[in-house]
C-alpha cells in the first residue's frame, strides 16, 4: 500500500529552510495538511505567506506553523496537539528533519558540543516520535521518515559528534522499523550526502576557518523530491547521490581501504 499525500496530515520539523522547507511546499502542493516546526518564526511566516501559491486548493488553510525549539518538551507536545486537532487524532506522516552539526577535532571540543548535537539530532526526534505513535497508529499507511546522512553509515574525521548522532538515528530507525512492522507503521530512513542548504551557516562551536570536503552535493529540493518518493513507496531506506552511495558501499566492501583514504595526515 502506497502512502498518498492528498488529505493526509503531516508533521515536518526543521521547516524554516533547506530540505524541510522544500518538503513542506511539496506536501502542500500535493494536498496534505502540514504542521511545520522551526525556531525562526519569520521563516515560518514567510512559508505560510507563500502557501497560497502552492498550486493547490486551500493550501494556506492547510499550513499549521509551530514556532519553537524541538528539544523543548512543551514544543513537542504542542506539535502533537496541533497535529491531533486536524483530522480526529490521526497522523499519516512524521518527518524528523531538524538537525545541527559542527566541524573540528573531537579533542579540541567542549563536552557541550556533543550534548547539544545529540539533543537536536537524536533525543528530540526520538521523543517526538514517542509522542506521535498513538496518532500514527490511527493514520492511513503511516510513515515515520527520519532524515539521516551518509555519515550515519560511514564516519569521517572532524565530524565525530555529528556522525555519532546520525549513527544513533540509523540504529534507532532500524530497530523501530522491526518493532512497528506489525502495526503497519513504516519507518523510512533517508541518507543524503552534502546538501546545498543553510546547514553550514548554523554550525555550533566551530572555528571560522574550518572547512568540510565532500562530493556529490544535491540541492535541497532534489533531496526533498527523493524523500517524497521514498515516503510514497514506503521504502525502508534510500541513500542519495552517487558520491554518498560510493562512500557507503566502498566502506561495506573494504573498510580498511576507506580508513586509509580518510585518515588525516
Amino acid at each position: 500500500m502506497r502512502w498518498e499525500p492528498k488529505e493526509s496530515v503531516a508533521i515536518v520539523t526543521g521547516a524554516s529552510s533547506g530540505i524541510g522547507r522544500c518538503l513542506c511546499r511539496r506536501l502542500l502542493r500535493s494536498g496534505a495538511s502540514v504542521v511545520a516546526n522551526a525556531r525562526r518564526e519569520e521563516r515560518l511566516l514567510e512559508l505560510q505567506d507563500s502557501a497560497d501559491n502552492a498550486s493547490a486548493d486551500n493550501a494556506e488553510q492547510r499550513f499549521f506553523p509551530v514556532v519553537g525549539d524541538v528539544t523543548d518538551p512543551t514544543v513537542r507536545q504542542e506539535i502533537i496537539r496541533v497535529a491531533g486537532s486536524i483530522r480526529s487524532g490521526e497522523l499519516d506522516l512524521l518527518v524528523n528533519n531538524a538537525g545541527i552539526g559542527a566541524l573540528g577535532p573531537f579533542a579540541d571540543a567542549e563536552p557541550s558540543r556533543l550534548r547539544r548535537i545529540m539533543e537536536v539530532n537524536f533525543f528530540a526526534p526520538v521523543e517526538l516520535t514517542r509522542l506521535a505513535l498513538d496518532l500514527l497508529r490511527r493514520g492511513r499507511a503511516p510513515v515515520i521518515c527520519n532524515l539521516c546522512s551518509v555519515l550515519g553509515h560511514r564516519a569521517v574525521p572532524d565530524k565525530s559528534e555529528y556522525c555519532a548522532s546520525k549513527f544513533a538515528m540509523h540504529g534507532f530507525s532500524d530497530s523501530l522499523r522491526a518493532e512497528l512492522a506489525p502495526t503497519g507503521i513504516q519507518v523510512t530512513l533517508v541518507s543524503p550526502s552534502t546538501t546545498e542548504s543553510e546547514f553550514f551557516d548554523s554550525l555550533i562551536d566551530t572555528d571560522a576557518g574550518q572547512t568540510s570536503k565532500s562530493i556529490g552535493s544535491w540541492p535541497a529540493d532534489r533531496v526533498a523530491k527523493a524523500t517524497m518518493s521514498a515516503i510514497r513507496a514506503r521504502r525502508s531506506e534510500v541513500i542519495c547521490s552517487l558520491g554518498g552511495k560510493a562512500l557507503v558501499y566502498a566502506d561495506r566492501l573494504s573498510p580498511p581501504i576507506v580508513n586509509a583514504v580518510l585518515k588525516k595526515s
Side-chain angles (χ1 to χ4, degrees), residues 94-154:
L94 168 62
V95 180
N96 288 309
N97 168 71
I100 58 173
L103 297 176
F106 172 77
D108 297 341
E110 295 292 331
S112 59
R113 187 166 84 177
L114 172 61
R115 292 186 179 278
R116 177 60 179 163
I117 289 175
M118 291 299 293
E119 283 289 346
V120 176
N121 293 4
F122 182 65
F123 291 119
V126 165
E127 293 306 326
L128 182 60
T129 299
R130 192 193 307 277
L131 291 175
L133 285 176
D134 283 345
L135 302 186
L136 286 163
R137 289 189 180 98
R138 304 176 200 141
R140 299 178 302 200
V143 175
I144 299 167
C145 180
N146 293 327
L147 266 293
C148 191
S149 169
V150 296
L151 301 188
H153 298 260
R154 167 70 218 199

Side-chain angles (χ1 to χ4, degrees), residues 72-108:
D72 184 340
T74 61
V75 172
R76 294 196 295 267
Q77 291 165 3
E78 178 64 7
I79 293 170
I80 297 302
R81 186 197 68 78
V82 173
S85 69
I86 296 172
R87 201 186 70 216
S88 303
E90 299 176 4
L91 178 64
D92 307 303
L93 174 64
L94 168 62
V95 180
N96 288 309
N97 168 71
I100 58 173
L103 297 176
F106 172 77
D108 297 341

Side-chain angles (χ1 to χ4, degrees), residues 193-225:
S193 185
T194 302
T195 304
E196 298 168 13
S197 69
E198 298 177 18
F199 179 82
F200 290 100
D201 295 334
S202 58
L203 298 173
I204 66 167
D205 298 335
T206 299
D207 293 338
Q210 293 285 347
T211 59
S212 176
K213 296 180 181 179
S214 59
I215 59 173
S217 63
W218 278 9
D221 193 55
R222 187 175 179 185
V223 177
K225 181 180 179 180

Side-chain angles (χ1 to χ4, degrees), residues 149-170:
S149 169
V150 296
L151 301 188
H153 298 260
R154 167 70 218 199
V156 298
D158 294 332
K159 297 180 181 178
S160 58
E161 299 94 347
Y162 181 78
C163 292
S165 70
K166 294 304 182 180
F167 265 81
M169 181 55 77
H170 185 171

